[in-house]
Amino acid sequence: MEPMIVPLLDLKAQLAPLREELLAAMEEVMDSARFIMGEKVAAFEEEAAAYLGVRHAVGVSSGTDALLLALMALEVGPGDAVITSDFSFFATAGVIARVGARPVFVDIEPDSFNLDPARLRKLLESMPEAERRALKAIVPVHLFGQSAAMDAVLDIAAAFDVSVIEDAAQSIGAQYPARHGLRVSGAIGAMGCFSFFPSKNLGAFGDAGMVVTDSDRLAEVLRIKRVHGAKSGYLHETIGGNFRLDALQAAVLSVKLPHLNRWHAERMRNAERYGRLFRERGLTQVTAPPVVYAGKACERPHIFNQYTVRAPERDDLRAFLGERGIGTQVYYPRPFHRQPCFADVPCNPADFPESGRAAGEVLSLPIYSELTEEMQVYVADRIAEFYNR
Ligand SMILES: *Cc1c(COP(=O)(O)O)cnc(C)c1O
């Protein structure tokens, strides 16, 4: 057997064909000496808004800051509570605590890994009135690249009069067959938050993010709070922060955005290929990620920011693959309700059977666009070797 190196992600392979175009865009920024906000940021915001079909896109400094700014725009603060999924990247829950609000965690659906609307409804129905009044927002996460069950989330949010802020950091361009037609994740709730961290499907050359909204009023608040809450001329009617997007990052993102749907398609192709390779090897031990909205007239029901399987003996499998040159990662090894920093968040561990199980079983395999069939065969063969050892 030929040993092979299959990294979890290979950004160099993605950037090589865009090298000249990226260098030219960065050079333009350097020559303009306009590094903060400016034309490049405005241009990228327009392109991103068009891509997502939203009225407003507000470029910000990171996905974390996008979530923080969205909460600040709704004036969420001490005494308030915000519901989110128990199983996500830390930032989703961290920002809730950072604005002084109380995070409330809800378990996930086992197939999509996303917030379970049935549990969300049960939680809200059983909440004492005073607690329910403190509730300001629900933050569903579209984990790994496919949408949460947004129709149900929106119905529940409307019934209990709370806002919905989508954490779409991993799902830019993923479609959702909503009751009222096809939508894209992040463009469904009051605001949608995106990350352009380098490992996301649309990655910058550093930290960057975006908040989108169809509300003119919220867009204005977001833009003001992005620059310390100043509307103009050092007059601060509200408090914001430095949440600006750099011109260099915007320039890079503008070069990459036109390629995004092709990269998504290649990731989807790779996901299908893994499915076939697993079946051909009778690999029933690993559970491939179900594409919940497949065949619902969506071209992009899952954009596979991560290809996350459930695997028995997960940690041993991960070590086995690592020794054979295959990069994998565990997203995420610990649900929020078990994080030491949330030890004072009241919760009953029995309410979280699925996030706990997922944390022990998930393993993300290489899925990036430039991954070759040969590499995927190698990955599938090594997994088969592990379970047949
Ligand atoms: C990446 C990510 C974030 C944070 O984005 P940054 O740009 O890294 O700050 C938030 N939520 C989720 C689900 C993410 O994957």
Side-chain angles (χ1 to χ4, degrees):
M1 170 201 83
E2 275 294 297
M4 208 185 250
I5 299 293
V6 187
L8 183 61
L9 178 64
D10 182 2
L11 284 175
K12 289 180 184 173
Q14 183 197 65
L15 297 175
L18 300 177
R19 185 183 178 83
E20 295 311 317
E21 217 184 322
L22 286 163
L23 285 174
M26 289 193 287
E27 196 168 46
E28 230 183 282
V29 174
M30 184 172 76
D31 291 344
S32 77
R34 188 81 207 260
F35 299 116
I36 304 287
M37 303 290 291
E39 266 172 43
K40 289 287 185 194
V41 170
F44 173 68
E45 287 178 341
E46 242 176 72
E47 293 152 13
Y51 175 79
L52 294 168
V54 291
R55 283 175 61 78
H56 305 280
V58 179
V60 297
S61 32
S62 70
T64 305
D65 285 347
L67 290 162
L68 185 62
L69 179 59
L71 290 174
M72 289 172 78
L74 293 180
E75 314 261 336
V76 176
D80 296 336
V82 175
I83 292 181
T84 194
S85 165
D86 192 44
F87 191 64
S88 178
F89 176 61
F90 182 76
T92 316
V95 293
I96 298 169
R98 282 177 65 193
V99 296
R102 188 168 59 84
V104 179
F105 304 125
V106 170
D107 202 14
I108 54 169
E109 300 173 315
D111 51 355
S112 69
F113 299 103
N114 287 324
L115 188 143
D116 182 341
R119 283 182 184 272
L120 172 65
R121 184 178 285 281
K122 223 191 273 166
L123 172 78
L124 282 163
E125 284 170 354
S126 66
M127 232 179 215
E129 179 61 26
E131 256 183 68
R132 209 191 286 168
R133 267 200 304 270
L135 204 60
K136 289 292 142 62
I138 300 170
V139 183
V141 182
H142 308 301
L143 204 68
F144 302 143
Q146 77 181 329
S147 179
M150 289 304 289
D151 278 342
V153 171
L154 289 183
D155 285 349
I156 297 164
F160 291 90
D161 194 27
V162 291
S163 300
V164 173
I165 299 173
E166 296 171 73
D167 183 341
Q170 299 184 5
S171 68
I172 188 165
Q175 294 170 322
Y176 172 72
R179 201 159 45 219
H180 303 299
L182 206 58
R183 311 297 299 272
V184 293
S185 65
I188 303 170
M191 285 177 275
C193 300
F194 294 88
S195 165
F196 305 119
F197 184 79
S199 69
K200 305 294 157 87
N201 283 28
L202 180 60
F205 283 3
D207 283 306
M210 183 171 71
V211 186
V212 304
T213 182
D214 279 329
S215 154
D216 296 348
R217 187 190 63 80
L218 282 173
E220 192 187 1
V221 176
L222 291 166
R223 292 213 160 89
I224 291 171
K225 284 189 181 283
R226 171 172 62 175
V227 286
H228 298 289
K231 201 165 184 175
S232 63
Y234 297 97
L235 179 68
H236 299 260
E237 283 167 7
T238 178
I239 293 171
N242 174 358
F243 300 130
R244 295 175 306 232
L245 175 63
D246 293 337
L248 267 172
Q249 301 304 348
V252 165
L253 290 166
S254 284
V255 170
K256 292 178 86 175
L257 181 61
H259 302 278
L260 186 57
N261 281 349
R262 178 171 52 83
W263 291 330
H264 289 337
E266 288 163 350
R267 283 171 181 258
M268 287 186 280
R269 174 205 62 201
N270 294 348
E272 277 185 31
R273 201 183 267 160
Y274 270 136
R276 174 171 59 77
L277 293 172
F278 294 164
R279 278 192 302 277
E280 284 171 1
R281 283 157 185 75
L283 253 176
T284 50
Q285 295 91 338
V286 290
T287 310
V291 179
V292 178
Y293 303 109
K296 296 262 171 76
C298 303
E299 209 179 319
R300 284 181 294 280
H302 199 320
I303 60 149
F304 290 103
N305 180 239
Q306 299 298 340
Y307 181 86
T308 303
V309 300
R310 290 179 187 264
E313 302 174 72
R314 189 264 320 273
D315 295 331
D316 289 345
L317 172 63
R318 176 157 198 251
F320 184 92
L321 296 177
E323 283 160 16
R324 285 152 185 81
I326 299 169
T328 62
Q329 193 51 267
V330 176
Y331 302 116
Y332 295 93
R334 195 181 274 263
F336 290 148
H337 80 275
R338 286 199 211 138
Q339 289 291 356
C341 67
F342 297 129
D344 60 347
V345 173
C347 74
N348 179 356
D351 290 338
F352 303 95
E354 292 301 338
S355 59
R357 188 164 71 88
E361 293 180 353
V362 290
L363 187 66
S364 296
L365 304 179
I367 192 68
Y368 62 92
S369 306
E370 297 78 12
L371 195 69
T372 63
E373 177 157 15
E374 196 189 5
M375 289 164 136
Q376 290 191 270
V377 167
Y378 178 79
V379 173
D381 281 345
R382 298 294 80 72
I383 296 174
E385 199 174 285
F386 173 79
Y387 286 112
N388 297 327
R389 75 198 189 282

